[in-house]
Amino acid sequence: MSIIKLLEDFTTDKLTTEPSSRRQMFGSMGSLGKKAAMAAIPFGLAASTSKAKAATTASAMQTYPNSSLQLALVLEYIEADFYAKALDSGVLSNYPKAEAIYMQISKHETAHVNLLKGALGDAAFDAPEFDFTAGGNFDPFGDDGTNDAIAYQQLLILAQAFEDTGVRAYKGQATNLMNDPGLLTVALQIHSVEARHASEIRRLRGIKGWITGDERGMGVPPIAQPVYIHEDNTTHGGVDVTTLGDGSPFSFESSTEAYDEPLTSDDAGAIAALFLQN
Amino acid sequence: MKKQQIKVSTANGRNRRQFLKTSGLAIAGSGLLVACFDDKELYGNDGPFDLGGGDLGVLNYAYALEQLEAEFYIKVLNGTYWSGAAEEEQTILQDLYNHEINHRDFFKTALNANFDADVVLPTLEFDFSSVDFNDRDSVLSTAQLLEDTGVKAYNGAGKIIETGAYLVIAGKIVSVEARHAAAIRSIRGGDMDDFKLFAGDDAVDPATGLDGAEDPSVILAAAGGFIVTEFTANKLP
C-alpha cells in the first residue's frame, strides 16, 4: 500500500521525536523524494519493504484487510475534509440545494472515518493535510479569489471525482475482505453509499448519475481521467454484454453504464496522492 | 488488470448427471433416485424450484431480482406516465430499463455457461397489479422500493459468495443499483423539497453512514408480493 506508507511517513515525521528509528525503518531511504517514489511502488512490493517484511505468512494475510481499510481511510479522510471545508467556505451559500446535499454527504463521510478508525484500531493513522487545489489546478473554496460561480463548479467536479473514485476503490478491495464476512459487509454498505453520493453529485452537475464509457463528463479536466480509466469495459466474467442481445439495453452506452469497474490499490492511491500537501 | 473469468468448476453436478444419464438410471425412476441421492433439483421433482446454495444460489437469487426489475421497467415504458413524463424522468427510466435488462440477460448467460440448465432459475412470472403504471407516484415509489431493495440484497449477499470473480461482478452491479436508487429518490425528494432524500436517513443510517444489507430470506419475503412463480431459497440465509 504505497500511498499509505507515504502518508504514515508524513504524519509520523511530524509527531515522532526519534527520526533515527524512522530512518532505520526505511533503511537508506530518507528523502521525501524517495518516499514519494515509494507511492508508485506496486502494493505487494511496498508491503515487503515495510514492517510486514518479517511477518509470518499467517500474519501477512491478516494485514490484508488492514491495508484495504487503510486505503479506505485515506479516501474517507479526503472526502470528510473536503466536504467540511466546502460547507465552511461560503461558496455554497447561494446554492441551498447543493448545500443540503453536501451536508448529508459530509455527515456520511465523517461517520465512515470514525467507523474505519474504530475498525483499524492501532493500525489507524491521523488525517494528513490535503491540498484541494491539486497543485494549483483548482480553487474550490475560492481561497485564491476565484468567484463563487466558478468555485462552485469546481466543488462539484472534485466531489464527483472523489465519489466515483470511492466507489471504484471499495469495489477493488472487496476480494481482499472475503475472509472476514463482517468487514466485507460493512465495506459493501459504505460502497453503495458512495455510489448514491456519486449519482447525486453527477446529476447536480447536469450529467447522468451513471458513467457512460470512460467519460469524465462535461467540464471535468483531463487531470481527472485516471478516475475513469477502464470504465468502458464491457466484458464481465468472460461475457461481453454488448453481444447478449439487440436494441438499446445492449448498446455500448447502456452496457458500460450498467456496470461500474473496480480500481486497483495503486490506481486509487495515485488519485489520492494528487491531493496530498507537499 | 487481469481479466476475471466467471467460468468455475461445477464438476460435481455435471459428473453426477452425466453418470446417471450414461448409466440409464435417469429414466428408470426419479423418485427412487431422489431418495438415494438427495439431489432434487436435478430431476425437477414435484416441489418448487430451489435457488441452491453458495455461488449458484446467489447467482440465481440475483437473476430473480434482476428479472423482477427488468419486468417492472418494461411495464413502466409501456405505461402512460412514462410516455408523457418530463424529459429528465423519461431518460432516467429508459436508462434503468436498459441497465436492468442488461443485468438480467447477463445473469441468464453466466448461469447457463457455468451450471446445468436444470439448476438455473427459470423465467419467472410477476404480478404488478398493485402498481398503476399510468401514475407517476405509483411508478416512482415502486422504482425506489425496488432499487433500494436491490442494494440491500446485493450488500447482504456479498458474504455468501465463494468466488472472488463473482463478488467483483456483484460489486459492479450493486453500485449501479445504488446510483439508480439515488436518482429516483432525488426526483421524489425534489417534489417535497427534501434535497437529502437521495441518501436519506431512511436508507443510510445517519450514525454509521451505512447502507442497508439484508439476507435473501428477508429480501424474498419483502419482494414476494410481486413474484408469482413459486421458488424456495432453502440453502441461503
Side-chain angles (χ1 to χ4, degrees):
Chain A
M1 182 84 29
S2 43
I3 186 70
I4 305 302
K5 294 310 304 169
L6 183 65
L7 285 172
E8 275 183 346
D9 217 25
F10 275 134
T11 51
T12 317
D13 273 353
K14 285 175 188 163
L15 301 173
T16 185
T17 53
E18 294 175 304
S20 59
S21 70
R22 296 290 304 167
R23 248 188 109 179
Q24 204 172 5
M25 184 180 293
F26 285 91
S28 59
M29 284 203 274
S31 76
L32 271 182
K34 289 210 175 134
K35 288 169 201 162
M38 280 187 72
I41 298 172
F43 180 89
L45 291 176
S48 74
T49 64
S50 75
K51 290 171 266 186
K53 191 175 181 179
T56 64
T57 307
S59 62
M61 291 275 287
Q62 284 170 354
T63 65
Y64 229 15
N66 265 6
S67 356
S68 292
L69 297 186
Q70 285 173 327
L71 172 65
L73 181 57
V74 173
L75 297 172
E76 298 290 356
Y77 269 142
I78 290 177
E79 291 182 313
D81 195 35
F82 171 75
Y83 288 106
K85 288 196 166 98
L87 288 166
D88 209 35
S89 70
V91 171
L92 294 170
S93 55
N94 290 325
Y95 306 92
K97 180 181 175 182
E99 190 169 40
I101 291 167
Y102 272 53
M103 285 169 69
Q104 189 71 351
I105 297 180
S106 178
K107 182 168 73 181
H108 297 156
E109 308 301 7
T110 303
H112 295 165
V113 164
N114 293 331
L115 202 68
L116 290 167
K117 281 169 79 173
L120 278 164
D122 290 345
F125 47 85
D126 291 335
E129 289 287 319
F130 296 114
D131 166 25
F132 291 110
T133 74
N137 282 290
F138 301 95
D139 184 23
F141 311 128
D143 293 337
D144 211 23
T146 302
N147 75 54
D148 277 2
I150 292 172
Y152 172 68
Q153 292 304 328
Q154 296 190 353
L155 273 186
L156 298 189
I157 286 167
L158 285 172
Q160 176 189 318
F162 293 144
E163 299 296 345
D164 279 336
T165 299
V167 173
R168 300 193 64 183
Y170 275 98
K171 204 188 315 295
Q173 296 306 313
T175 52
N176 291 336
L177 301 173
M178 286 182 84
N179 289 333
D180 191 331
L183 269 184
L184 172 63
T185 302
V186 167
L188 290 172
Q189 288 174 283
I190 297 178
H191 169 245
S192 60
V193 172
E194 302 292 330
R196 286 178 190 267
H197 296 169
S199 174
E200 183 68 358
I201 294 288
R202 295 173 63 92
R203 295 189 55 257
L204 190 58
R205 283 195 351 97
I207 63 174
K208 288 183 176 186
W210 23 95
I211 301 163
T212 309
D214 60 357
E215 293 174 16
R216 302 188 295 275
M218 61 166 187
V220 180
I223 190 179
Q225 191 57 34
V227 176
Y228 299 99
I229 189 171
H230 303 319
E231 268 292 350
D232 56 349
N233 174 43
T234 60
T235 300
H236 312 286
V239 177
D240 181 350
V241 293
T242 62
T243 66
L244 293 178
D246 295 323
S248 60
F250 307 100
S251 69
F252 171 78
E253 289 78 9
S254 299
S255 295
T256 54
E257 289 167 2
Y259 303 82
D260 283 334
E261 297 298 312
L263 211 53
T264 64
S265 302
D266 288 343
D267 288 346
I271 292 167
L274 291 173
F275 299 95
L276 277 182
Q277 188 103 269
N278 52 29
Chain B
M1 206 178 99
K2 206 177 157 188
K3 191 168 283 179
Q4 309 269 21
Q5 287 295 325
I6 205 171
K7 199 86 184 171
V8 296
S9 167
T10 56
N12 286 342
R14 192 174 291 277
N15 284 347
R16 180 175 298 167
R17 189 160 171 252
Q18 276 169 352
F19 165 72
L20 292 171
K21 265 186 179 165
T22 47
S23 66
L25 288 172
I27 317 152
S30 59
L32 179 65
L33 286 167
V34 164
C36 290
F37 290 93
D38 190 29
D39 210 343
K40 297 178 183 177
E41 296 93 329
L42 291 180
Y43 292 94
N45 69 335
D46 293 333
F49 181 91
D50 190 87
L51 298 181
D55 286 342
L56 169 67
V58 173
L59 291 173
N60 270 329
Y61 171 56
Y63 181 36
L65 295 173
E66 298 294 350
Q67 284 192 48
L68 171 64
E69 288 187 304
E71 188 66 20
F72 171 74
Y73 290 109
I74 288 168
K75 289 202 154 42
V76 168
L77 264 60
N78 280 304
T80 60
Y81 151 62
W82 183 79
S83 55
E87 193 185 342
E88 184 191 25
E89 290 170 30
Q90 268 193 346
T91 304
I92 288 175
L93 288 163
Q94 180 151 28
D95 283 354
L96 271 47
Y97 160 95
N98 286 334
H99 303 166
E100 303 302 358
I101 288 177
N102 193 302
H103 292 165
R104 179 195 66 190
D105 288 11
F106 168 76
F107 280 111
K108 184 179 185 177
T109 304
L111 275 160
N112 280 297
N114 288 284
F115 300 93
D116 286 346
D118 48 8
V119 296
V120 174
L121 182 73
T123 299
L124 301 175
E125 195 186 326
F126 299 99
D127 174 9
F128 285 109
S129 60
S130 61
V131 182
D132 181 352
F133 289 96
N134 301 324
D135 180 74
R136 179 176 184 269
D137 191 58
S138 181
V139 168
L140 293 182
S141 60
T142 308
Q144 178 181 322
L145 175 75
L146 290 177
E147 298 293 348
D148 279 343
T149 300
V151 172
K152 284 186 271 194
Y154 280 104
N155 281 351
K159 65 178 191 293
I160 311 166
I161 297 174
E162 297 157 336
T163 306
Y166 289 142
L167 178 61
V168 173
I169 290 169
K172 292 182 182 203
I173 292 174
V174 63
S175 55
V176 174
E177 304 290 342
R179 290 174 189 269
H180 292 171
I184 297 291
R185 282 174 158 271
S186 177
I187 286 191
R188 298 189 72 232
D191 294 347
M192 28 183 148
D193 277 345
D194 178 359
F195 299 126
K196 301 180 178 180
L197 195 67
F198 71 97
D201 292 355
D202 61 316
V204 179
D205 186 323
T208 59
L210 295 181
D211 220 319
E214 298 286 357
D215 280 341
S217 59
V218 177
I219 297 293
L220 291 172
F226 294 123
I227 303 172
V228 175
T229 311
E230 226 185 306
F231 64 84
T232 56
N234 293 332
K235 292 172 185 168
L236 294 174

